Structures are given as structure tokens and as C-alpha cells.
């Protein structure tokens, strides 16, 4: 099946992320490290400047507008509103690359993790206490070409620290989340240590380099994640995918199994190891693992989407619409599902529904390029004749 073949390349992005409780963590075993198989990285792999505040960021905090907001609203609300207000920082959501705080501010764009990092840097500069949180909303999947990504979610909470700051405070902690509040309301949260957030950043950079075809650079980001933060199990899975891209099947298998030794329920590592076993024709082992996978997740990621695309290609538009609707229910903020549901509605002559789905695709898209594409298609649909009832 195409789904299983694609899942061979699944990794987990911290478009936000997961965490574990504080405990003694075994270091990464030498058996999963293979520096000799890769050349040096094209650029330094470092995180020392992850939360560093640039002169431009300090200048922003010293503007009259921001300082006046602090005096009237308190430092917590002043920062939160500056981040959300479109006429202030004007942040653009973009999943292309996970940047450090200074680069995110300079470009005014970033994914969930980058925006959390920048927010934390501002909050620290203002003398506030910062807490990172994993929002337990469950895994959602996206893809970039043939690389399938499991996305988890973090946000940041900050509050006034009287020992470090003399500014006016509301005294109440403020949570900044870069998805609509109603989407995370009611979900449990778990505290994420800052060291874990650093590991998430390293893993994201590895996945992004891998998605861009830069396997060599991806290795060094993932290597740093597993050697310096072995408690972040997802990085072992990412390392396994990198080895697989390089053709190092034994190293890939060791990495996936290391992830599962540390977290037996790590579904992404299970999918990747299952695909590897099947490709190696190790049928008995594969079937045993397939049973474990099925007990955890009945329908694989993108299962209904693939069914919908097959129906669409056969001209069975009612079935295509039904399948795309099921994927939208599972992942309501993934733009590609809305796009194809819009296409299915268009083929069925429901222009109004097609426009609505294309508008949702535009609003949930994660890159400027995708937003431009959907905007153009939406403009074309709005010019079409069709029922608006």
C-alpha cells in the first residue's frame, strides 16, 4: 500500500512537541552513532543562541507604544497583545524552518515552536518566569513531499517575577498559544523542561533538513539531539529515518528499536520499523509488530485521504467527498484535506461548499506559498457561477 511506503519516511516535528517526566536517562548508545558515514555539516549545529535577545528585539521592548501598554495593562498582557496584534509584530505562521528567537523576530515568521522560543526570549528579557507546556491534543499528521510528519503541540506561559523586575504586573500568568484558544481549551497540559524544548528544536531542524534533501546536515542535527538530550525519544526515530535515507538499514533498525526500548508506545517509530521489516521481507517480525500497531491506531495516518484520492481519480466524487470529510474530522486544521474536500465538492457542483473549504485551506495553510496558491484558487472559484445558498 502507498500509505505504508510513505510512512517509511515518517518523523515527528515539534510543530510542537512531547515530553517525559524527570528521571535518570541512559545516554545514546554508540551503536546508533555513525559519524564516518557522513561529511561535516554545511553550517554549525548550535543552540547557544536559541533564546538570545537581539538589539532589534530590545529596541522593540523600549518603544513608547510597548512601554505605555506595560504601564496600563501590566507586562504580561502587554507582551501577549503585542504578539497577537496584527499591527504590532505582524507575525506570520510559516512551517518552513524552525528559527531561533532573534531570527524569528527579524523575519516576523515562524512555526509554533519558533514563535514559542521567541516569546520565551522576550519574557525572560522582561524578567518574567517562563514555563513551557505540552498540550495533550494527540498526534496530527502532515506531509512534505514523501516525508510524513507527526506534529505535537507546545505553548508558553509566563508570569511576573518580583525578584527580577520592577515593572507593573497583573500578577496572573498568561498563556500564549499560536492556535485559536478554542482549539486547545479543555486539553491537559504537561510541563516541558527547557532542555527538552532545546531537543525539540534540534529535532525540528533535522526533520527540516531531511525534508529539503540535505541528509548530511540532517544527521548532525539529529545526532546532537540524541547525544545531548537522549530523554527526547523522538530524536532516535528521526535519526533512524536519516539512516534509512542514506541506505544504512542496520543503523536505521537500531535507531528505531532504541526509540521503542525507551518508549514502547512510540507509534511513529513503530510505523517506520514496520515498513523496514516489510521491505526486508522479514514477514514474521513484521506481522507481530503490525499487531501492536493495530492495537494502538486502527486507521493509519492519511488512510482516508488515500481512499479519497483513489475515488476522485475514478470519478466517484460522492465517495471522495466522504473520505476527505473523515480526514478533516481527524485533522481539522490541515490545509490539504480542506483543499481536496473543496475539489470534491466542486466536482459535485456544490460551489458554495467548495469555496468554504478552499477558504479553510487558505486560513489553515502553514506556508506563505501555500496561502498564495489557495488564495488564487479561491479567487477563481468566487468568479465562477454557482449557488451561494
Amino acid at each position: 500500500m502507498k500509505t505504508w511506503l510513505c510512512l517509511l519516511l515518517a518523523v515527528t516535528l515539534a510543530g510542537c512537541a512531547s515530553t517525559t517526566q524527570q528521571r535518570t536517562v541512559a545516554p545514546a548508545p554508540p551503536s546508533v552513532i555513525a559519524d564516518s558515514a557522513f561529511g561535516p555539516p554545511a553550517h554549525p549545529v548550535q543552540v547557544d543562541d536559541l533564546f538570545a535577545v537581539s538589539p532589534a528585539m530590545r529596541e522593540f521592548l523600549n518603544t513608547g507604544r510597548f512601554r505605555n501598554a506595560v504601564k496600563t495593562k501590566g507586562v504580561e498582557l502587554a507582551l501577549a497583545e503585542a504578539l497577537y496584534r496584527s499591527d504590532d509584530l505582524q507575525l506570520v505562521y510559516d512551517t518552513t524552518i524552525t528559527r531561533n528567537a532573534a531570527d524569528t523576530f527579524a523575519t516576523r515568521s515562524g512555526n509554533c515552536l519558533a514563535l514559542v522560543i521567541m516569546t520565551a526570549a522576550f519574557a525572560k528579557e522582561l524578567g518574567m518566569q517562563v514555563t513551557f507546556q505540552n498540550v495533550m491534543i494527540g498526534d496530527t499528521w502532515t506531509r512534505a513531499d514523501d516525508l510524513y510528519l507527526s506534529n505535537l503541540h507546545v505553548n508558553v506561559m509566563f508570569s511576573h517575577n518580583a525578584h527580577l523586575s520592577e515593572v507593573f504586573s497583573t500578577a496572573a500568568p498568561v498563556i500564549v498559544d499560536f492556535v485559536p484558544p478554542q482549539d486547545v481549551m479543555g486539553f491537559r497540559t504537561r510541563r516541558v523542561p527547557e532542555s527538552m524544548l532545546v531537543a525539540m528544536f534540534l529535532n525540528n531542524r533535522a526533520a527540516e533538513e531531511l525534508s529539503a534533501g540535505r541528509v548530511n546536515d540532517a544527521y548532525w542535527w539529529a545526532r546532537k539531539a540524541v547525544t545531548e538530550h537522549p530523554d527526547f525519544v523522538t530524536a532516535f526515530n528521526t535519526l533512524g529515518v536519516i539512516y534509512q535515507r542514506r541506505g544504512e538499514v542496520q543503523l536505521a533498525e537500531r535507531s528505531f528499536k532504541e526509540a521503542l526500548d525507551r518508549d514502547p508506545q512510540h507509534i511513529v517509530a513503530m510505523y517506520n520499523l514496520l515498513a523496514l521489516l516489510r521491505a526486508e521481507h522479514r514477514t514474521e517480525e513484521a506481522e507481530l509488530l503490525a499487531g501492536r500497531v493495530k492495537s494502538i491506531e486502527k486507521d493509519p495516518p492519511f488512510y482516508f485521504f488515500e481512499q479519497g484520492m483513489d475515488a476522485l481519480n475514478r470519478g466517484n466524487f460522492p465517495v471522495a467527498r466522504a473520505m476527505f470529510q473523515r480526514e478533516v474530522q481527524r485533522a481539522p486544521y490541515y490545509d490539504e484535506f480542506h483543499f481536496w474536500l473543496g475539489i470534491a465538492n466542486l466536482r459535485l457542483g456544490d460551489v458554495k461548499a467548495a469555496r468554504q473549504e478552499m477558504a479553510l485551506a487558505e486560513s489553515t495553510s502553514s506556508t506563505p506559498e501555500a496561502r498564495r496558491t489557495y488564495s488564487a484558487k479561491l479567487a477563481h472559484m468566487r468568479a465562477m457561477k454557482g449557488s451561494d445558498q
Side-chain angles (χ1 to χ4, degrees):
M1 289 176 62
K2 181 178 179 182
T3 300
W4 289 112
L5 178 62
C6 291
L7 284 170
L8 179 68
L9 303 174
V11 299
T12 302
L13 273 181
C16 299
S18 68
T19 185
T20 58
Q21 294 180 342
Q22 292 284 1
R23 56 187 174 82
T24 301
V25 180
S31 60
V32 301
I33 303 299
D35 294 354
S36 60
F38 300 87
H43 304 285
V45 175
Q46 62 180 23
V47 291
D48 295 343
D49 60 350
L50 193 58
F51 297 99
V53 175
S54 66
M57 294 171 71
R58 288 195 177 93
E59 183 179 348
F60 172 80
L61 294 179
N62 288 322
T63 59
R65 177 171 180 171
F66 183 77
R67 295 176 71 176
N68 288 334
V70 170
K71 292 177 182 178
T72 58
K73 301 177 181 179
V75 64
E76 297 90 350
L77 288 178
L79 178 57
E81 290 187 4
L83 294 166
Y84 278 111
R85 197 164 45 222
S86 61
D87 62 345
D88 213 325
L89 284 179
Q90 296 182 312
L91 297 172
V92 175
Y93 191 73
D94 182 3
T95 60
T96 305
I97 185 171
T98 309
R99 301 178 175 91
N100 63 23
D103 290 343
T104 299
F105 180 79
T107 60
R108 297 297 199 276
S109 65
N111 60 15
C112 170
L113 186 59
L115 296 172
V116 163
I117 290 168
M118 185 194 71
T119 303
F122 272 127
K124 289 181 177 185
E125 182 70 8
L126 291 165
M128 288 190 279
Q129 295 176 319
V130 174
T131 301
F132 303 107
Q133 297 185 129
N134 178 24
V135 184
M136 314 296 284
I137 60 176
D139 291 358
T140 58
W141 292 78
T142 59
R143 63 183 183 179
D145 297 323
D146 62 349
L147 184 66
Y148 279 55
L149 308 170
S150 173
N151 302 276
L152 309 179
H153 186 66
V154 291
N155 61 27
V156 60
M157 178 172 66
F158 47 81
S159 58
H160 178 68
N161 188 332
H163 298 292
L164 297 177
S165 177
E166 299 299 327
V167 298
F168 170 56
S169 167
T170 62
V174 170
I175 296 175
V176 170
D177 204 308
F178 293 94
V179 298
Q182 64 269 20
D183 298 344
V184 295
M185 188 177 298
F187 287 104
R188 292 186 301 110
T189 61
R190 183 185 297 167
R191 183 174 179 177
V192 178
E194 186 171 304
S195 61
M196 185 72 75
L197 203 81
V198 173
M200 297 171 188
F201 174 83
L202 291 165
N203 186 72
N204 266 34
R205 293 295 294 116
E208 289 155 1
E209 294 291 339
L210 186 63
S211 181
R214 296 186 288 268
V215 181
N216 195 77
D217 291 325
Y219 169 77
W220 294 103
W221 285 102
R223 184 196 189 281
K224 190 173 182 69
V226 300
T227 55
E228 296 190 11
H229 305 278
D231 50 341
F232 187 54
V233 177
T234 291
F236 287 96
N237 172 75
T238 303
L239 186 63
V241 175
I242 292 166
Y243 283 137
Q244 201 150 26
R245 282 280 184 92
R246 184 49 67 91
E248 300 284 353
V249 178
Q250 289 186 341
L251 286 165
E253 182 177 349
R254 287 179 205 160
S255 299
F256 295 143
K257 286 184 175 179
E258 184 66 28
L260 290 172
D261 284 344
R262 293 165 183 261
D263 180 3
Q265 300 295 309
H266 200 292
I267 190 66
V268 184
M270 285 187 194
Y271 277 128
N272 287 329
L273 180 57
L274 177 58
L276 183 152
L277 294 174
R278 285 175 168 167
E280 293 289 298
H281 305 291
R282 292 157 62 179
T283 306
E284 185 175 346
E285 293 175 79
E287 290 310 306
L288 285 173
L289 183 56
R292 286 177 59 192
V293 170
K294 195 72 173 178
S295 69
I296 297 172
E297 193 163 63
K298 182 179 178 181
D299 297 309
F302 284 78
Y303 174 78
F304 299 116
F305 176 78
E306 299 292 352
Q307 297 293 313
M309 292 302 295
D310 180 64
L312 195 68
N313 291 332
R314 290 185 286 103
N316 192 338
F317 305 130
V319 170
R321 177 167 63 180
M323 292 297 101
F324 294 142
Q325 284 173 333
R326 294 191 70 172
E327 285 291 16
V328 164
Q329 290 172 356
R330 292 206 295 182
Y333 300 102
Y334 184 44
D335 56 321
E336 190 174 359
F337 295 158
H338 287 291
F339 171 80
W340 287 107
L341 179 54
I343 295 299
N345 281 320
L346 192 63
R347 296 289 187 270
L348 288 167
D350 192 340
V351 179
K352 180 182 179 182
R355 291 171 183 162
Q356 290 173 339
E357 292 302 325
M358 199 60 63
L360 286 169
E362 181 185 15
S363 66
T364 57
S365 58
S366 57
T367 66
E369 181 181 1
R371 280 190 286 275
R372 287 192 292 270
T373 299
Y374 296 139
S375 179
K377 293 184 180 299
L378 181 59
H380 176 71
M381 284 185 177
R382 284 171 174 161
M384 296 173 61
K385 291 182 178 180
S387 173
D388 285 326
Q389 301 300 316

